[in-house]
Amino acid sequence: MVLINTSWVLITGASSGFGEEFARQYAEQGHSLVLVARRLDRLQALAETLRHQYGIEVVTEQVDLSDIAAVTQLHQRLQDRGIEIYILINNAGHGLQGPFVDSTLDAALAMVQLDVASLTAITHVFARDMSKRGHGKILLVASLLAYQGVENFAVYAAAKAYVLRLGEALHRELYREGVTVTTLCPGMAETGFATAAQQKVTPVLKQLMMQPAPVVRAGIRALQVGRISVVPGWANKALVILTWATPRRMHQAFLSRAMNG
């Protein structure tokens, strides 16, 4: 039997991958959920499943988060309904593999808009609410690539580096206000992200591949205990240590080979 927890969790990019898994794990804990994504049919199907399985309240919001105005409108709609977000899972993001000059400028800027600008906007509007209340938790989903620039992932790696540094700074700023900020830096996982990003899955990446469930559990656990950041998986942790312990040209060459084959 699930003990119902009336505190609300907002999850962006909830229609698939990590977002869907976050929804399932928080539903299992009994939390009420606000699920946000562009694909309403997927959201509604997931919401119905979670309501039936766990007896929780689930609100679905079809939102194009790349539109900053849509972010503020989402925030206002939830306020109008009296829904206070206790936990924000900032998971929505977009990636694309390929040489920088071969992709269109629009594609590069669209990635920056969603992964940087929109993430900043949704973090800002809900962090202000949490700060005023004196409690709340925010998880930012970055990437293992946040720790280095990688050939053919230039904009994505740079965007995720922004997410990691933003999270580190906010962890210290908002701690004094009673708000926990944690950054999750996953490596390769079976979420469908690689297909959407037109990413080549090299033999090295296949060996490092993780399932979504343990990645999400690591993120939730780290957020709960107030860690500044977390890298799930021992192999991924080893890659971060390699980044810290070796000259830049060495680990960048290694990651380039691992990611691109």
Side-chain angles (χ1 to χ4, degrees):
M1 180 179 178
V2 176
L3 180 63
I4 301 301
N5 187 331
T6 56
S7 60
W8 287 88
V9 180
L10 188 154
I11 303 167
T12 67
S15 60
S16 62
F18 288 140
E20 180 178 349
E21 184 61 30
F22 273 112
R24 293 185 184 281
Q25 292 195 25
Y26 274 118
E28 188 175 8
Q29 294 180 15
H31 286 276
S32 302
L33 304 177
V34 177
L35 306 181
V36 179
R38 288 182 299 177
R39 293 180 290 184
L40 185 59
D41 56 337
R42 296 285 297 270
L43 283 182
Q44 291 176 333
L46 175 60
E48 186 58 34
T49 297
L50 297 179
R51 290 187 193 106
H52 176 75
Q53 188 170 0
Y54 299 106
I56 61 169
E57 189 170 0
V58 184
V59 171
T60 57
E61 285 280 353
Q62 184 181 28
V63 181
D64 180 2
L65 292 173
S66 63
D67 180 357
I68 301 298
V71 171
T72 59
Q73 290 162 8
L74 167 66
H75 178 251
Q76 187 61 56
R77 285 196 301 274
L78 296 179
Q79 281 195 325
D80 291 344
R81 296 182 60 171
I83 295 176
E84 292 188 343
I85 301 303
Y86 176 66
I87 300 173
L88 169 63
I89 306 298
N90 230 331
N91 168 73
H94 172 61
L96 189 64
Q97 180 178 15
F100 177 69
V101 296
D102 288 353
S103 64
T104 66
L105 178 59
D106 285 346
L109 294 180
M111 199 185 312
V112 172
Q113 178 67 22
L114 181 59
D115 293 3
V116 174
S118 295
L119 176 137
T120 303
I122 198 166
T123 301
H124 187 268
V125 295
F126 288 102
R128 291 187 71 179
D129 293 343
M130 294 177 185
S131 177
K132 290 176 183 177
R133 291 197 307 263
H135 65 84
K137 297 181 183 296
I138 299 171
L139 184 75
L140 306 182
V141 179
S143 167
L144 193 63
L145 297 192
Y147 289 94
Q148 60 273 308
V150 178
E151 178 184 359
N152 293 328
F153 291 88
V155 176
Y156 179 74
K160 291 304 183 179
Y162 171 87
V163 175
L164 177 59
R165 301 312 175 203
L166 176 70
E168 289 175 338
L170 294 183
H171 177 86
R172 300 187 184 282
E173 284 187 32
L174 296 178
Y175 178 80
R176 297 185 292 270
E177 309 297 330
V179 181
T180 299
V181 180
T182 298
T183 306
L184 173 65
C185 297
M188 196 70 180
E190 294 186 4
T191 61
F193 179 86
T195 301
Q198 303 175 32
Q199 182 177 349
K200 178 181 179 182
V201 181
T202 66
V204 173
L205 292 181
K206 286 181 180 179
Q207 293 180 351
L208 296 174
M209 189 87 71
M210 294 182 67
Q211 294 297 319
V215 174
V216 168
R217 276 197 299 271
I220 292 175
R221 190 181 306 117
L223 183 62
Q224 189 62 39
V225 301
R227 292 183 58 184
I228 189 169
S229 64
V230 59
V231 177
W234 289 107
N236 293 327
K237 287 181 172 65
L239 284 174
V240 173
I241 293 171
L242 176 72
T243 300
W244 291 336
T246 61
R248 189 177 299 254
R249 66 179 183 278
M250 182 182 296
H251 62 248
Q252 284 190 335
F254 174 80
L255 263 295
S256 177
R257 182 65 179 272
M259 296 297 295
N260 294 290

